[in-house]
Coordinates of all heavy atoms in Angstrom, one line a residue:
S4 N 50.0 86.3 132.1 CA 49.2 85.9 133.3 C 47.9 85.1 132.9 O 47.2 85.5 131.9 CB 48.7 87.2 134.0 OG 47.9 86.9 135.1
G5 N 47.7 84.1 133.6 CA 46.5 83.2 133.2 C 46.9 82.0 132.4 O 46.1 81.1 132.3
G6 N 48.1 82.0 131.9 CA 48.6 80.8 131.1 C 47.9 80.7 129.8 O 47.3 81.7 129.3
C7 N 48.0 79.6 129.2 CA 47.4 79.3 127.8 C 46.7 78.0 127.8 O 47.0 77.1 127.1 CB 48.6 79.3 126.8 SG 49.5 80.8 126.7
P8 N 45.6 77.9 128.6 CA 44.9 76.7 128.7 C 44.2 76.3 127.4 O 44.1 75.1 127.0 CB 43.9 76.9 129.8 CG 43.7 78.4 129.9 CD 45.1 78.9 129.6
V9 N 43.7 77.3 126.6 CA 43.0 77.0 125.4 C 44.0 76.4 124.4 O 43.7 75.4 123.7 CB 42.3 78.2 124.8 CG1 41.7 77.9 123.4 CG2 41.3 78.7 125.8
T10 N 45.2 77.0 124.3 CA 46.2 76.5 123.4 C 46.6 75.1 123.7 O 46.7 74.2 122.8 CB 47.5 77.4 123.5 OG1 47.2 78.7 123.1 CG2 48.6 76.9 122.7
E11 N 46.8 74.7 125.0 CA 47.1 73.4 125.4 C 46.0 72.4 125.0 O 46.3 71.3 124.5 CB 47.4 73.3 126.9 CG 48.6 74.1 127.3 CD 48.8 74.2 128.8 OE1 48.2 73.4 129.5 OE2 49.5 75.1 129.3
D12 N 44.8 72.8 125.2 CA 43.7 72.0 124.8 C 43.6 71.8 123.3 O 43.4 70.6 122.8 CB 42.4 72.6 125.3 CG 41.1 71.8 124.9 OD1 41.0 70.6 125.2 OD2 40.3 72.4 124.2
I13 N 43.7 72.9 122.5 CA 43.5 72.8 121.1 C 44.7 71.9 120.5 O 44.4 71.1 119.6 CB 43.6 74.2 120.5 CG1 42.3 75.0 120.9 CG2 43.8 74.2 119.0 CD1 41.1 74.4 120.4
A14 N 45.9 72.1 121.0 CA 47.0 71.4 120.4 C 46.9 69.9 120.5 O 47.4 69.1 119.7 CB 48.3 71.9 121.1
D15 N 46.1 69.5 121.5 CA 45.9 68.0 121.8 C 44.8 67.4 120.9 O 44.7 66.2 120.7 CB 45.6 67.8 123.2 CG 46.8 67.7 124.1 OD1 47.9 67.7 123.6 OD2 46.6 67.7 125.4
R16 N 44.0 68.3 120.3 CA 42.8 67.8 119.7 C 42.7 68.0 118.2 O 41.9 67.5 117.5 CB 41.5 68.4 120.3 CG 41.4 68.1 121.8 CD 40.0 68.5 122.3 NE 39.8 69.9 122.4 CZ 38.8 70.5 121.7 NH1 38.0 69.9 120.9 NH2 38.6 71.8 121.9
L17 N 43.6 68.8 117.6 CA 43.5 69.3 116.2 C 44.1 68.3 115.3 O 45.2 67.7 115.5 CB 44.2 70.6 116.1 CG 44.0 71.3 114.7 CD1 43.9 72.9 115.0 CD2 45.2 71.1 113.8
V18 N 43.4 68.0 114.1 CA 43.9 67.2 113.0 C 43.7 68.0 111.7 O 42.6 68.5 111.5 CB 43.1 65.9 113.0 CG1 43.6 65.0 111.8 CG2 43.3 65.1 114.2
R19 N 44.7 68.0 110.9 CA 44.6 68.6 109.6 C 44.4 67.5 108.5 O 45.2 66.5 108.5 CB 45.9 69.4 109.3 CG 46.1 70.6 110.1 CD 47.4 71.4 109.8 NE 48.5 70.6 110.2 CZ 49.7 70.8 109.7 NH1 49.9 71.7 108.8 NH2 50.8 70.1 110.1
L20 N 43.5 67.8 107.6 CA 43.2 66.8 106.5 C 44.0 67.2 105.3 O 44.4 68.4 105.2 CB 41.7 66.8 106.2 CG 40.8 66.4 107.3 CD1 39.3 66.4 106.8 CD2 41.1 65.0 107.8
P21 N 44.2 66.3 104.4 CA 44.9 66.7 103.1 C 44.2 67.8 102.4 O 43.0 67.8 102.3 CB 44.9 65.4 102.3 CG 44.8 64.3 103.3 CD 43.9 64.9 104.4
L22 N 44.9 68.8 102.0 CA 44.4 69.9 101.2 C 45.4 70.5 100.3 O 46.4 71.0 100.8 CB 43.8 71.0 102.1 CG 43.2 72.2 101.5 CD1 42.0 71.8 100.6 CD2 42.7 73.2 102.5
F23 N 45.2 70.3 99.0 CA 46.2 70.9 98.0 C 45.5 71.1 96.7 O 44.3 70.6 96.5 CB 47.4 70.0 97.9 CG 47.1 68.5 97.7 CD1 46.8 67.9 96.5 CD2 47.1 67.7 98.9 CE1 46.5 66.6 96.4 CE2 46.8 66.3 98.8 CZ 46.5 65.8 97.6
A24 N 46.0 71.9 95.8 CA 45.3 72.3 94.6 C 45.0 71.1 93.7 O 44.0 71.2 93.0 CB 46.2 73.3 93.9
D25 N 45.8 70.1 93.7 CA 45.5 68.9 92.8 C 44.8 67.8 93.5 O 44.7 66.7 93.0 CB 46.9 68.4 92.3 CG 47.6 69.4 91.4 OD1 46.9 70.3 90.8 OD2 48.8 69.4 91.3
L26 N 44.1 68.1 94.6 CA 43.2 67.2 95.3 C 42.0 67.0 94.4 O 41.1 67.9 94.4 CB 42.9 67.7 96.7 CG 42.1 66.7 97.6 CD1 43.1 65.7 98.2 CD2 41.4 67.5 98.8
D27 N 41.9 65.9 93.7 CA 40.8 65.7 92.8 C 39.6 65.1 93.5 O 39.6 64.8 94.7 CB 41.2 64.8 91.6 CG 41.7 63.4 92.0 OD1 41.3 62.9 93.1 OD2 42.5 62.9 91.2
E28 N 38.5 64.9 92.8 CA 37.2 64.4 93.3 C 37.4 63.0 93.9 O 36.8 62.8 95.0 CB 36.1 64.4 92.3 CG 34.8 64.1 92.8 CD 33.7 64.2 91.8 OE1 33.9 64.8 90.7 OE2 32.5 63.8 92.0
A29 N 38.1 62.2 93.3 CA 38.3 60.8 93.8 C 39.1 60.9 95.2 O 38.8 60.1 96.1 CB 39.1 60.0 92.8
D30 N 40.1 61.7 95.2 CA 40.9 61.9 96.5 C 39.9 62.4 97.6 O 39.9 61.9 98.7 CB 42.0 62.9 96.3 CG 43.1 62.4 95.5 OD1 43.3 61.2 95.4 OD2 43.9 63.3 94.9
M31 N 39.1 63.4 97.3 CA 38.3 64.0 98.3 C 37.2 63.0 98.8 O 37.0 62.8 100.0 CB 37.5 65.2 97.7 CG 38.3 66.5 97.7 SD 37.2 67.9 97.5 CE 36.2 67.7 98.9
T32 N 36.7 62.2 97.8 CA 35.7 61.2 98.2 C 36.3 60.2 99.1 O 35.7 59.8 100.1 CB 35.1 60.5 97.0 OG1 34.5 61.5 96.2 CG2 34.1 59.5 97.3
H33 N 37.5 59.8 98.8 CA 38.2 58.8 99.6 C 38.5 59.3 101.0 O 38.3 58.6 102.0 CB 39.6 58.4 99.0 CG 40.3 57.3 99.7 ND1 39.8 56.0 99.6 CD2 41.4 57.3 100.4 CE1 40.7 55.3 100.4 NE2 41.6 56.0 100.8
V34 N 38.9 60.6 101.1 CA 39.2 61.2 102.5 C 37.9 61.3 103.2 O 37.8 60.9 104.4 CB 39.8 62.6 102.3 CG1 40.0 63.2 103.7 CG2 41.2 62.5 101.7
I35 N 36.8 61.8 102.6 CA 35.5 62.0 103.3 C 35.0 60.6 103.8 O 34.5 60.5 104.9 CB 34.5 62.7 102.4 CG1 35.0 64.1 102.2 CG2 33.1 62.6 102.9 CD1 34.3 64.9 101.1
D36 N 35.1 59.6 102.9 CA 34.6 58.3 103.3 C 35.4 57.8 104.5 O 34.8 57.2 105.4 CB 34.7 57.3 102.2 CG 33.7 57.6 101.1 OD1 32.7 58.3 101.4 OD2 33.8 57.0 100.0
A37 N 36.7 58.0 104.5 CA 37.6 57.5 105.6 C 37.2 58.2 106.9 O 37.1 57.6 108.0 CB 39.0 57.7 105.3
V38 N 37.0 59.5 106.8 CA 36.6 60.3 108.0 C 35.3 59.8 108.6 O 35.1 59.6 109.8 CB 36.5 61.8 107.7 CG1 35.9 62.5 108.9 CG2 37.9 62.3 107.4
Q39 N 34.3 59.6 107.7 CA 33.0 59.3 108.1 C 32.8 57.9 108.7 O 31.8 57.5 109.3 CB 32.0 59.5 107.0 CG 31.8 60.9 106.6 CD 30.9 61.1 105.4 OE1 30.8 60.2 104.5 NE2 30.2 62.3 105.3
T40 N 33.8 57.0 108.5 CA 33.8 55.7 109.1 C 34.3 55.7 110.5 O 34.3 54.6 111.2 CB 34.5 54.7 108.2 OG1 35.9 55.1 108.0 CG2 33.8 54.5 106.9
Y41 N 34.9 56.8 111.0 CA 35.4 56.9 112.3 C 34.2 57.3 113.3 O 33.5 58.2 113.0 CB 36.5 57.9 112.5 CG 37.1 58.0 113.9 CD1 38.0 57.0 114.3 CD2 36.7 59.0 114.7 CE1 38.5 57.0 115.6 CE2 37.2 59.0 116.0 CZ 38.1 58.1 116.4 OH 38.6 58.1 117.7
R42 N 34.2 56.6 114.4 CA 33.2 56.9 115.5 C 34.0 57.3 116.7 O 34.8 56.6 117.2 CB 32.3 55.7 115.7 CG 31.4 55.3 114.6 CD 30.4 56.4 114.2 NE 29.6 56.0 113.1 CZ 29.8 56.3 111.8 NH1 30.9 57.1 111.6 NH2 29.1 55.9 110.8
V43 N 33.6 58.5 117.2 CA 34.3 58.9 118.5 C 33.9 58.0 119.6 O 32.7 57.7 119.8 CB 33.9 60.4 118.7 CG1 34.3 60.8 120.2 CG2 34.5 61.3 117.7
S44 N 34.9 57.6 120.4 CA 34.6 56.7 121.5 C 34.2 57.5 122.8 O 34.5 58.7 122.9 CB 35.9 55.9 121.8 OG 37.0 56.8 122.1

């Protein structure tokens, strides 16, 4: 009862970033730089 409005909202907005044990500093820096160049419209 009441449905799942939060689930529907979250599913549309969630993004997972690369994360694994061999993610080195260069990989992380590249991902962070790529994220930080995005501007929400």
Side-chain angles (χ1 to χ4, degrees):
S4 177
C7 300
V9 177
T10 297
E11 294 173 18
D12 175 59
I13 292 299
D15 280 348
R16 299 193 291 118
L17 188 144
V18 178
R19 292 178 292 161
L20 298 181
L22 179 60
F23 44 87
D25 295 335
L26 188 76
D27 59 26
E28 186 174 349
D30 288 334
M31 280 198 60
T32 299
H33 185 71
V34 175
I35 290 167
D36 287 346
V38 171
Q39 291 176 334
T40 56
Y41 181 79
R42 296 293 178 266
V43 169
S44 59

